[in-house]
Amino acid sequence: MSKLISAFLLILIPWFNIKAQAGFGIKGGGNLASVNVDNSEAWLAYHVGGYWRVPIGSDMFVQPELLYSVKGSNLPDFFYSDDLEFRMNYLSLPVMLGIKAGDRWAFSLGPELSKLLSGRFNVGDTESQGSDGYSQFDFGLDAGVDFAITPGLGVYLRYNYGLVDVLQVQFTDENGQSLGGFNEGKNRCLQVGISWVISGAE
């Protein structure tokens, strides 16, 4: 994982010194999140943060972002009639390479590295706090499309395809007997949101 993080940061370093006219903005919206385990159901969460769009030509750009993003999943009737709910709060760093299609449309693709800030799971009405049972890092690929309503206001649709098994939890009863668990489960997340340019060019 350390090699993966180092390689990911090397992508960012050259852009910190770019002097080109760039646009800084904020963004946020909903997450339709799930994990790819059997009987998993998506649930609605959210993301919010900022972005920096750096032109690298007339129609292309690089867009690093810093987001607070909530992911997870619901598993109905996991323990008899009790539902199991996973909740994971991340600090996410997508780096998108985009291309504009006219004045209003843009398409982008790039990696996303996330650090787990906190996690919990609920079994029925019983809640467990803490990050035990979750991978501390997640890594995936993002693909999205943006539409500019005005020069400063836009909407976007993005899909995050996780590549890391983030669930590492085992459940036991009061006698210490195993009730099952997970050593797999990759994040899947569809994001819909609004972006707003604060300064610079979009």
Side-chain angles (χ1 to χ4, degrees):
M1 180 60 71
S2 60
K3 292 182 178 178
L4 181 64
I5 296 172
S6 297
F8 188 79
L9 291 176
L10 285 175
I11 299 174
L12 295 181
I13 292 173
W15 304 107
F16 290 132
N17 295 319
I18 289 179
K19 303 301 182 181
Q21 180 67 23
F24 175 76
I26 56 175
K27 61 183 299 185
N31 286 352
L32 189 61
S34 65
V35 292
N36 68 333
V37 298
D38 291 342
N39 302 319
S40 174
E41 291 185 351
W43 73 291
L44 187 61
Y46 67 94
H47 65 278
V48 63
Y51 67 92
W52 183 39
R53 178 171 288 191
V54 181
I56 55 174
S58 59
D59 295 322
M60 297 187 67
F61 60 89
V62 170
Q63 182 168 302
E65 302 177 1
L66 188 63
L67 305 175
Y68 178 79
S69 186
V70 182
K71 299 178 182 178
S73 189
N74 294 336
L75 278 74
D77 301 328
F78 184 79
F79 290 114
Y80 301 101
S81 60
D82 283 334
D83 296 340
L84 175 61
E85 301 174 352
F86 290 105
R87 302 292 183 258
M88 293 164 281
N89 305 316
Y90 290 104
L91 184 65
S92 296
L93 182 62
V95 180
M96 308 298 290
L97 176 64
I99 184 169
K100 294 182 178 180
D103 294 331
R104 294 186 179 273
W105 293 95
F107 301 90
S108 58
L109 180 70
E112 178 179 316
L113 177 67
S114 297
K115 173 67 173 69
L116 182 71
L117 299 178
S118 63
R120 63 182 174 88
F121 59 86
N122 299 346
V123 180
D125 295 329
T126 302
E127 178 178 313
S128 175
Q129 294 285 142
S131 58
D132 291 342
Y134 299 106
S135 171
Q136 291 298 304
F137 290 94
D138 188 22
F139 183 79
L141 297 175
D142 291 358
V145 57
D146 297 62
F147 178 77
I149 300 173
T150 71
L153 178 66
V155 294
Y156 59 88
L157 178 69
R158 182 180 295 179
Y159 187 72
N160 169 243
Y161 186 88
L163 300 174
V164 176
D165 287 318
V166 295
L167 302 182
Q168 302 170 358
V169 59
Q170 298 294 320
F171 299 99
T172 58
D173 62 18
E174 61 273 11
N175 298 317
Q177 299 297 313
S178 176
L179 297 175
F182 301 95
N183 289 308
E184 58 180 354
K186 299 176 177 64
N187 279 314
R188 302 288 185 260
C189 185
L190 180 67
Q191 296 181 331
V192 180
I194 298 174
S195 61
W196 179 258
V197 178
I198 296 177
S199 65
E202 179 69 353

